[in-house]
């Protein structure tokens, strides 16, 4: 063991007196040693200079705290140099090294604080008293801080937001440490307990008090440490009777405390394990250092009952903190395998070096990862080759969309415009959070039992005998349950006609032979008529036929249809047979059966019912507006209504339109090549999809076709059986979407006149926002959590995508979700967000457009991709011309959907991008240009 104690390493209070050093820590490379002292400063020192006494010695001085710095901790890994510091000013600061400016050529001492530049990039506030200790989780996902306010705060280091507050301790909390497997967090307090918390939900897992009950010692800190193999956690300031010890809490059932490090003569302030596991003479062990108020340091192997080394009289004051570093490259016959730094109240720091003959040889990092995997570690530790890989930083890549450590520390704001955009982003973010909270709190709830009771009609009469068979096959098994929407109106939740993805004998068979019609005899029943809820998920079987198949099967199908309808009323069956014989399309969709009553549920405020009466005209009735229309020619097989238009689709292929408020006819019957399979009405728009796969959307105000007889055949091509239709959506702006049983969904682009695929369960598999089709149903678990964190109520795009995926989930076999490397996942996530934004624009969903603009801007800011960011800024602002950016360019579309691009750029994109000051020159340029165009 070699001990070095540099006389030049100290903290001075205004260069007058040497002050206490409370904390010390090595960075991942071992090249820097950080110290925090009573002079309110953090200093970074060269480890090489401590060994060789060469210049430069002081690398940087970090002065941003207004109180004594109690703890310094570097983040894991070497990709991103990040340092967390806590002080008695109740603040935690996150520092990053600014590598954009190189001062090394100026020579040593040119800058009084050192040659490196470190800037505080985040200020974490929330403690009500001194911050005593901090710890990074493996992967740097979380940061835990504790203090004299008796609390432990957990910070999400992706968003720098507080995600948990642990308040079980009743006295000062003076130490925290994370389990290297990532499963637990251990905390120590003056209430004579160590508490172990689960990182999955931050709930308390265990409380250990036995080693501390006899303790009568008072200490500045109680800094615990977890062993690198995850087997145990060492606790400071424990006692065996009146003997101070460091207790070893074993990671087994009951968390036993039978073992201790015994040998110190005064209270132990800190224990710290070396991050490597060592092997000597065929035995593996962890190395732990302990120090405290007896001013000495002891070194222990977990395989031996006595210390392997001890240093007494090294300091004149209590030892407050310890830090280990083990070099990756070992050179020489007896190389140095570990360095230990210790700091003291006397204001000095000592460096202890240990060779391989003293501690043993570090085992391979992959073997150490296997030890952690045995404790349930989910990180890819078995293939790690270095400590940086073993404690791989999520912040470096996946969660931020950063590859190869390309993200740099934030520079200072250079312009007033940059500061204004940052403030605007913060205000808008807080406003959205407040609005989301108000939405959740204000949403009224109604007990299910009460809702069911209110939904029952005043009088119920049993079905007539002649209707019994029809009722048995058409009435849903469960009663629809009304719920209240945000505005207080009731809405009936749809009841599935049959289990999704398979047929049922107790529900209507939508795959029956085309042309077969069943109608009940007599008048419509007075109560509980057979009905079909049209706003439910569909299941319409489809076939895609080639030209040869059309010709070869036409005659045989005509014969089958004639036989099937021979015994059915000629009024309805002849018209259906004629429609099917007249056109043999490439697409065939199953035609709904005829039932006694159909009821629309497109709009909760209005409902239209159609009554098919034997040998009589069809009666169409709107109860809310008290009007009735009589339709002749054939049976009604589809009905829909909105606040402006009501529509009825007939078996002969005709569609009737009426004004919803008055019942006045809007046009003569419109004729199609085949009967309507799906009918939808939203606002002034009416959609129908006929049995030959032609989809049409009309604007009844303008009396024009928005989408004209567009075939869905391109959506149904498959290597095996064509997928079934599981949903057809129509928005308030006339956009439409089609969902299939294979999990895909499509929207029709009215400018391109083509179908766009807006949902596919495998295209963006591995994205942070993907919903894998083999996970649990939507909303329970899985990657959908990423959506849930940012979800907006009433999301049309998500409703379409989730519904398609849910149908697909019920028809596939299990398969493991694809796992992408972190370097790839960030890129896939960014591509996925771009897809979602453009898909939201295709269906003109304003809430989705705004949300995915926000998410995309955040990811672009985090990734720092200048070229990609410049593309989106240019796309939203307008095309570049020789004389600058102009709004009059005819080649540029001014809206995403129907939302103005420049409004999105001004209110959402530029403020979000301002969070990355590396982009501020680009952001300022576009902000200035936008301001000049809007004047």
């Amino acid at each position: 063991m070699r001990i070095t104690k540099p006389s030049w390493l100290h903290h001075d209070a205004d260069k007058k007196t040497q002050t206490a050093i409370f904390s010390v820590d090595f960075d991942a490379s071992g090249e820097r040693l950080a110290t925090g002292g009573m002079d309110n400063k953090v200093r970074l020192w060269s480890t090489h200079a401590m060994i060789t006494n060469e210049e430069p010695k002081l690398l940087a001085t970090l002065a941003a705290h207004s109180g004594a710095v109690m703890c310094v901790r570097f983040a894991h890994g070497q990709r991103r140099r990040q340092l967390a510091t806590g002080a008695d000013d109740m603040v935690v600061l996150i520092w990053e090294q600014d590598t954009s400016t190189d001062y090394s050529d100026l020579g040593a001492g040119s800058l009084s604080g050192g040659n490196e530049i470190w800037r505080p990039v985040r200020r974490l506030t929330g403690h009500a008293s001194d911050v005593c200790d901090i710890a990074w989780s493996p992967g740097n996902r979380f940061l835990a801080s504790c203090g004299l306010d008796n609390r432990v705060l957990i910070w999400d280091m992706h968003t720098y937001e507080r995600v948990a507050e642990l308040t079980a301790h009743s006295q000062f909390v003076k130490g925290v440490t994370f389990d290297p497997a990532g499963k637990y967090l251990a905390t120590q307090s003056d209430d004579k307990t160590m508490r172990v918390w689960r990182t999955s939900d931050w709930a308390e897992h265990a409380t250990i008090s036995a080693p501390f009950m006899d303790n009568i010692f008072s200490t500045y800190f109680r800094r615990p440490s977890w062993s690198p193999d995850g087997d145990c956690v060492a606790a400071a300031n424990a006692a065996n009777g009146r003997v101070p010890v460091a207790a070893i809490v074993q990671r087994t059932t009951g968390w036993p405390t039978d073992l201790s490090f015994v040998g110190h003569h005064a209270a132990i302030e800190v224990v710290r394990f070396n991050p490597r596991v060592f092997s000597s003479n065929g035995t593996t062990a962890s190395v732990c250092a302990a120090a405290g108020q007896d001013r000495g340091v002891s070194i222990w192997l977990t395989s031996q009952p006595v210390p392997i080394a001890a240093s007494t009289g090294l300091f004149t004051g209590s030892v407050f903190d310890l830090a280990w570093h083990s070099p990756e490259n070992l050179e020489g016959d007896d190389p140095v395998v570990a360095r230990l730094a210790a700091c003291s109240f006397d204001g000095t720091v000592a460096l202890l070096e240990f060779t391989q003959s003293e501690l043993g040889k570090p085992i391979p990092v992959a073997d150490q990862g296997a030890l952690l995997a045995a404790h349930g570690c989910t990180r890819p530790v078995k293939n790690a080759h270095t400590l940086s890989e073993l404690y791989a930083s999520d912040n470096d890549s996946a969660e931020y969309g950063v590859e190869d450590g390309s993200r740099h520390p934030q520079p200072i704001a250079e312009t007033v415009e940059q500061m204004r955009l940052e403030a605007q982003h913060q205000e808008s973010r807080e406003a959205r959070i407040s609005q989301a909270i108000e939405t959740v709190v204000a949403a009224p709830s109604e007990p299910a039992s009460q809702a069911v009771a209110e939904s029952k009609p005043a009088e119920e009469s049993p079905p007539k005998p002649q209707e019994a068979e029809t009722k048995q096959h058409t009435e849903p098994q469960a009663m629809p349950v009304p719920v209240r929407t945000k505005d207080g109106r009731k809405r009936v939740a749809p009841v599935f006609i049959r289990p999704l993805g398979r047929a049922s004998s107790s529900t209507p068979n939508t795959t029956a032979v085309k042309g077969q019609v069943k109608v009940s005899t007599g008048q419509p029943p007075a109560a509980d008529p057979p009905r079909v809820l049209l706003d439910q998920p569909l299941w319409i079987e489809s076939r895609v036929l080639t030209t040869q198949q059309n010709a070869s099967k036409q005659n045989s199908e005509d014969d089958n249809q004639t036989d099937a309808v021979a015994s059915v009323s000629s009024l309805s069956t002849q018209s259906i047979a004629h429609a099917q014989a007249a056109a043999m399309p490439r697409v065939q969709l199953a035609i709904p059966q005829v039932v006694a009553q159909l009821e629309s549920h497109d709009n909760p405020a209005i409902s239209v019912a159609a009554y098919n009466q034997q040998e009589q005209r069809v009666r169409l009735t709107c109860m809310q507006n008290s009007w009735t229309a009589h339709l002749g020619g054939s049976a009604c097989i589809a009905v829909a209504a909105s606040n402006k238009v009501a529509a009825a689709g007939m078996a002969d292929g005709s569609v009737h339109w009426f004004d919803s408020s008055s019942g006045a006819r809007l046009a003569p019957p419109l004729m199609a090549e085949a009967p309507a399979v799906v009918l939808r009405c939203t606002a002034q728009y009416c959609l129908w999809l006929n049995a030959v796969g032609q989809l049409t959307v009309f604007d009844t105000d303008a009396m024009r076709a928005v989408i004209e007889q567009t075939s869905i055949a391109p959506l149904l091509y498959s290597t095996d059986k064509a997928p079934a239709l599981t949903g057809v959506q129509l928005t308030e702006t006339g956009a439409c979407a089609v969902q299939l049983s294979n999990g895909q969904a499509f929207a029709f682009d009215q400018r391109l006149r083509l179908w766009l695929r807006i949902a596919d369960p495998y295209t963006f598999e591995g994205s942070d926002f993907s919903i894998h089709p083999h996970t649990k149903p939507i909303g329970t678990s899985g990657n959908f959590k990423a959506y849930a964190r940012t979800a907006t109520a009433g999301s049309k795009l998500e409703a379409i995508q989730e519904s398609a995926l849910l149908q697909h989930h019920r028809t596939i076999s299990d398969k493991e979700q694809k796992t992408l490397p972190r370097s790839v996942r960030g890129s896939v996530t960014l591509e996925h967000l771009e897809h979602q934004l453009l898909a939201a624009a295709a269906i003109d969903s304003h809430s989705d457009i705004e949300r995915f603009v926000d998410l995309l801007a955040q990811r672009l800011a985090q990734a720092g991709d200048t070229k990609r960011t410049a593309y989106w800024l240019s796309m939203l602002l307008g095309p570049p011309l020789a004389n600058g950016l102009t709004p009059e360019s005819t080649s540029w579309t001014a809206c995403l959907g129907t939302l103005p691009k420049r409004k999105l750029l001004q209110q959402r994109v530029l403020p979000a991008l301002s969070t990355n000051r590396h982009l501020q020159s680009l952001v300022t340029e576009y902000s200035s240009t936008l301001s000049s165009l809007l004047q």
Side-chain angles (χ1 to χ4, degrees), residues 1 210 309 509 750:
M1 179 176 66
N509 182 7
Q750 299 177 14

Side-chain angles (χ1 to χ4, degrees), residues 362-377:
I363 68 173
V365 174
D367 294 346
Q368 187 171 327
L371 297 176
L372 295 179
H375 291 299
C377 181

Side-chain angles (χ1 to χ4, degrees), residues 232-304:
C232 61
V233 56
N237 200 12
N240 186 356
R242 293 185 175 271
V243 178
V245 299
I248 303 301
V249 183
Q250 300 177 63
R251 186 190 189 135
T252 58
T253 303
W255 299 82
T257 60
D258 301 330
L259 304 177
S260 299
F261 294 152
V262 183
H264 283 267
H265 304 294
I268 296 176
E269 297 266 358
V270 55
V271 287
R272 193 82 178 263
F273 274 99
N274 186 288
R276 297 296 298 269
V277 177
F278 293 85
S279 175
S280 178
N281 299 324
T283 302
T284 59
S286 300
V287 179
C288 184
Q293 295 180 1
D294 61 1
R295 307 169 187 177
V297 178
S298 60
I299 313 299
W300 302 75
L301 286 176
T302 54
S303 60
Q304 298 184 17

